[in-house]
Amino acid sequence: ALIARNGLHEGAMAFGDRVRGDAPALVAAMRERGVKTIILSGDTEESTRRVAERLGAGAYQSQVLPEGKRQFLEALKAQ
């Protein structure tokens, strides 16, 4: 994001998802125990894909609204 005041450039800011340092190892340990990992995110496809790749997640879905996340979890519980 660019920051301007009175039409003059004042600075810039960058935003991104930060993955905790121990998160990839945790996901790998879960996978070794047979736990499937799926990321449900409201973020863009590109952002969600990058996080899923960094974590080694088995699957991901992006641009999922809170109601969609609830429905996904309800469907899992019904299995």
Side-chain angles (χ1 to χ4, degrees):
L2 299 176
I3 302 167
R5 183 172 33 181
N6 298 324
L8 299 174
H9 179 260
E10 293 283 329
M13 296 178 71
F15 302 93
D17 293 309
R18 193 172 295 186
V19 173
R20 285 181 41 170
D22 59 346
L26 175 62
V27 172
M30 291 170 59
R31 189 173 45 249
E32 288 173 9
R33 290 182 174 90
V35 176
K36 292 182 182 179
T37 56
I38 303 170
I39 295 177
L40 299 179
S41 175
D43 290 339
T44 65
E45 194 279 334
E46 181 179 340
S47 176
T48 306
R49 178 186 49 77
R50 278 185 291 187
V51 170
E53 287 174 355
R54 280 188 243 153
L55 289 174
Y60 69 89
Q61 291 183 18
S62 61
Q63 298 180 330
V64 181
L65 298 174
E67 178 62 19
K69 293 174 186 178
R70 186 192 67 74
Q71 290 172 350
F72 184 90
L73 293 174
E74 290 298 325
L76 282 180
K77 288 179 188 178
Q79 292 180 359

